Structures are given as C-alpha cells and as structure tokens.
C-alpha cells in the first residue's frame, strides 16, 4: 500500500513493467485507498473479473474504485 500510494504509484514489479495504480480519475492513491485495495486483494479471488469488465478491473479494483494502467517511467 505504501508503494502504490507513493509518487511511484506502483510496486517494484508493476514499475518494472511500466504499470501504474491510480484512482478512477487517474490520480495517485491515498494511503487509505491503497490499503483498502491491498486488503481486498488478499481477501477476494476476483482477478478473473478483469477479463469481463469494461475498464479491465479486478474485484479489488472495483471495491477500492482504482485502475491499473500503462504508465510512463
């Protein structure tokens, strides 16, 4: 949660692939929202949902109202 709410907006793995985590408006996450996303990520098996949602969001992204998008390094 700390890394995804930092100015990097990504974990080390996401950063290596040029992926950012942001809120629905493209802004950096607050620590609280990043923590909410991390807890939901552990507690829900909703990764397959990303294959069928319009904005390609997994269940934990829907809960926290976040998006994972290609970014610039």
């Amino acid at each position: 949660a700390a890394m995804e709410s930092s100015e990097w907006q990504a974990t080390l793995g996401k950063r290596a692939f040029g992926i950012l985590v942001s809120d629905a408006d493209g802004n950096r996450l607050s620590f609280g929202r990043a923590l909410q996303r991390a807890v939901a990520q552990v507690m829900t098996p909703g990764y397959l949902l990303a294959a069928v949602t319009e904005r390609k969001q997994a269940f934990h992204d829907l809960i926290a109202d976040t998006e994972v998008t290609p970014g610039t390094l």
Side-chain angles (χ1 to χ4, degrees):
M3 292 187 77
E4 289 182 350
S5 63
S6 73
E7 74 176 47
W8 275 17
Q9 291 182 255
T11 60
L12 291 173
K14 285 182 183 78
R15 186 162 169 83
F17 286 96
I19 298 171
L20 298 178
V21 180
S22 61
D23 67 10
D25 297 323
N27 300 313
R28 187 173 62 161
L29 300 181
S30 67
F31 179 75
R33 182 169 287 186
L35 184 60
Q36 178 185 27
R37 182 180 185 274
V39 169
Q41 197 170 13
V42 172
M43 298 183 75
T44 61
Y47 287 97
L48 294 177
L49 190 59
V52 297
T53 58
E54 184 178 333
R55 293 173 15 199
K56 305 297 181 203
Q57 292 172 294
F59 191 64
H60 54 272
D61 290 315
L62 292 172
I63 289 172
D65 195 24
T66 58
E67 293 183 343
V68 177
T69 57
T72 57
L73 296 176

